[in-house]
Amino acid sequence: MKANIKTPPMGWNSWDCYGASVTEAEVRSNAEYMAKNLKKYGWEYVVVDIQWFEPTADSADYHAGAELVMDEYSRLMPALNRFPSAADGKGFKPLGDHIHSLGLKFGIHILRGIPRQAVRRNTKILGTDRRAAEIADIGSICSWNGDMCGVDMSRDGAQSYYDSIISMYADWGVDFLKVDDIARPYHKAEIEAIAKAIEKTGREIALSLSPGEAPVGEAEHLAKHANMWRMTDDFWDGWEQLRKMFDHCREWFPYVKEGGWPDCDMLPLGRIGIRSHGGDRMTRFTRDEQKLLMSLWCIFRSPLMFGGDMTYNDEFTLSLMQNEELIKINRESHAGREVYRRGDEIVWAANGNCGVYYLAQFNVGEKELRACTDIAFLGTENPAEAFEIWSGKKANIENNTIVSDISPHGVNLYKIKTL
């Protein structure tokens, strides 16, 4: 049985700011910031992204043939020059313990498969007499990172390998596992093997699958075995990618349900690119675009994984993360759906609790537009109250229609309470 994750996961991931090179000190500082400023709003996962096992990692680039830290059982271990608390075989347990002591949850990224380094050395697999070369699918190698090759799940010892690494992660206190190079192309047998290994640990570990686009045709299989899965390739701070996200959300919204969350990808907000793609910068999204992004992610109910180094957050960035009405939409609404498109006007709605509804009017064009949305679908002609969440202003309702002017690349997001 997969982890029972009732609301979309919310947290921080190191990729957007530190690429493959994050250090323990940087993880700890972001965790401490989250505990102090964001935990009470629902932010809880702290996730170490790719290459934590590579001592030479220094950017978002991968070093072909780099020596990886690995134990005698073909299992990758944290690089001590970057994660010194992992010394003496402790792995990520000390870091996980520290994050747990803050009242937060700990996550790591892994690549599908077994290290090619282990295959070359034909190292042992814990729990079986088989060795790395005997279970490897050497024809199945990630196109963008050559450290790993697939595991042939038809071979004896294959499940034992996945059991061995996931059991170790559970012992470290891992609460969130992001598995990459598994959703595109879609590796069904290895997805099932990882889900099975998680179940054997008895630990509640959220399973996230990357990269996108995950196939819509596998929506049922995804929901059965994973907690979240990517709908897109890596998402960065460019308007065209953000505009395209409306198409992905329209395709996937029928499949959003408790415990199974199609994922719009990380939030490239705040200070990003420190040692990652595009160079050190504050996000290139305008403030209007950031509000639009957060509104879409929340009304669609995507996981919210912040990508910037939170310790550099300015007041505006922090306000996005602490907006209680916005977070309530993400955590408590249901039936989020696209209502209509009219040129550059895109309207979404979602149902809340106790007679509450949410309405988002988006402008994806280059000119200001006036949106006029008939709210008869709410089932009442007399809303008790309605206000725009970002501004706090009372809604303009004429003949049961919400009328508003929306800036280019902007949004008006309404909370409507019915009688």
Side-chain angles (χ1 to χ4, degrees):
M1 191 69 175
K2 69 174 187 177
N4 184 23
I5 310 296
K6 293 185 178 295
T7 59
M10 296 172 60
W12 174 81
N13 179 292
S14 62
W15 172 253
D16 283 358
C17 46
Y18 293 110
S21 67
V22 72
T23 66
E24 180 170 349
E26 289 159 344
V27 175
R28 285 176 177 256
S29 65
N30 275 274
E32 288 157 9
Y33 179 96
M34 182 183 289
K36 179 180 179 181
N37 298 285
L38 295 165
K39 183 175 71 170
K40 69 179 182 179
Y41 297 93
W43 301 86
E44 59 179 350
Y45 290 101
V46 176
V47 182
V48 177
D49 211 85
I50 198 167
Q51 301 300 112
W52 42 264
F53 40 78
E54 184 196 331
T56 60
D58 57 6
S59 66
D61 297 326
Y62 305 120
H63 302 154
E67 182 82 6
L68 309 179
V69 182
M70 189 178 76
D71 73 0
E72 63 179 311
Y73 294 111
S74 309
R75 302 179 300 184
L76 295 170
M77 304 293 287
L80 297 185
N81 63 319
R82 295 168 54 201
F83 298 94
S85 71
D88 302 319
K90 295 186 181 72
F92 272 131
K93 188 172 189 335
L95 179 56
D97 286 348
H98 177 66
I99 290 170
H100 292 147
S101 76
L102 299 172
L104 303 174
K105 296 179 179 180
F106 175 53
I108 62 173
H109 171 290
I110 66 169
L111 284 160
R112 173 187 66 93
I114 190 166
R116 295 171 75 190
Q117 177 176 294
V119 176
R120 291 192 297 270
R121 298 175 185 177
N122 202 22
T123 44
K124 295 184 287 187
I125 305 289
L126 186 66
T128 179
D129 59 0
R130 302 297 181 181
R131 288 180 173 260
E134 296 177 83
I135 67 167
D137 180 356
I138 59 175
S140 179
I141 298 172
C142 176
S143 62
W144 41 268
N145 182 307
D147 288 339
M148 314 290 280
C149 64
V151 173
D152 185 341
M153 296 311 303
S154 70
R155 297 182 183 179
D156 291 343
Q159 185 65 49
S160 294
Y161 167 71
Y162 275 120
D163 290 349
S164 73
I165 62 170
I166 304 296
S167 175
M168 179 176 69
Y169 304 155
D171 290 343
W172 288 347
V174 167
D175 306 294
F176 183 101
L177 188 63
K178 176 183 175 182
V179 184
D180 218 336
D181 186 40
I182 200 164
R184 189 204 76 226
Y186 198 69
H187 295 276
K188 182 174 288 189
E190 288 181 90
I191 290 171
E192 293 174 3
I194 292 167
K196 183 177 181 180
I198 290 173
E199 183 178 2
K200 287 181 179 180
T201 70
R203 184 174 181 82
E204 191 98 328
I205 300 176
L207 178 57
S208 169
L209 304 181
S210 289
E213 302 174 10
V216 175
E218 296 290 355
E220 184 177 345
H221 187 262
L222 286 159
K224 181 177 180 180
H225 294 96
N227 297 103
M228 52 188 276
W229 51 89
R230 288 265 296 280
M231 303 187 300
T232 73
D233 207 338
D234 285 4
F235 176 78
W236 285 99
D237 51 335
W239 168 248
E240 288 308 315
Q241 272 194 306
L242 179 50
R243 179 171 178 154
K244 179 65 177 175
M245 194 64 70
F246 284 93
D247 296 334
H248 295 294
C249 291
R250 176 168 59 177
E251 184 176 35
W252 275 100
F253 78 76
Y255 305 101
V256 176
K257 62 181 181 180
E258 183 177 301
W261 312 105
D263 180 15
C264 294
D265 198 17
M266 285 181 284
L267 304 165
L269 304 178
R271 186 182 177 190
I272 58 176
I274 298 170
R275 293 193 301 275
S276 194
H277 290 294
D280 191 354
R281 64 195 184 279
M282 295 299 286
T283 184
R284 296 186 180 110
F285 285 131
T286 67
R287 290 192 172 188
D288 279 343
E289 289 167 348
Q290 291 177 65
K291 291 177 182 178
L292 178 146
L293 183 157
M294 290 296 293
S295 299
L296 179 61
W297 264 238
C298 287
I299 203 164
F300 175 76
R301 301 197 76 195
S302 172
L304 302 178
M305 302 300 290
F306 191 82
D309 186 316
M310 295 182 291
T311 66
Y312 294 96
N313 280 354
D314 58 18
E315 184 177 344
F316 176 78
T317 305
L318 184 59
S319 74
L320 297 174
M321 304 177 76
Q322 291 181 335
N323 188 311
E324 292 182 271
E325 288 288 352
L326 184 70
I327 291 169
K328 185 177 289 187
I329 298 172
N330 183 259
R331 296 178 75 81
E332 298 181 9
S333 72
H334 59 280
R337 68 275 189 194
E338 183 181 287
V339 179
Y340 66 79
R341 295 190 183 196
R342 295 173 185 158
D344 293 327
E345 178 187 352
I346 302 176
V347 171
W348 275 68
N351 301 351
N353 299 319
C354 303
V356 170
Y357 295 85
Y358 300 100
L359 182 76
Q361 298 171 320
F362 298 99
N363 179 1
V364 298
E366 305 305 317
K367 298 179 180 178
E368 182 177 287
L369 65 77
R370 170 156 290 190
C372 301
T373 305
D374 186 338
I375 56 174
F377 67 90
L378 301 183
T380 178
E381 295 185 0
N382 297 298
E385 59 182 10
F387 70 92
E388 204 281 316
I389 287 172
W390 291 111
S391 66
K393 295 181 180 178
K394 186 177 180 180
N396 177 22
I397 302 178
E398 303 174 3
N399 298 320
N400 212 37
T401 298
I402 289 187
V403 180
S404 69
D405 295 318
I406 315 172
S407 301
H409 301 192
V411 62
N412 286 330
L413 177 64
Y414 295 96
K415 179 179 180 180
I416 305 166
K417 191 167 184 179
T418 61
L419 295 173

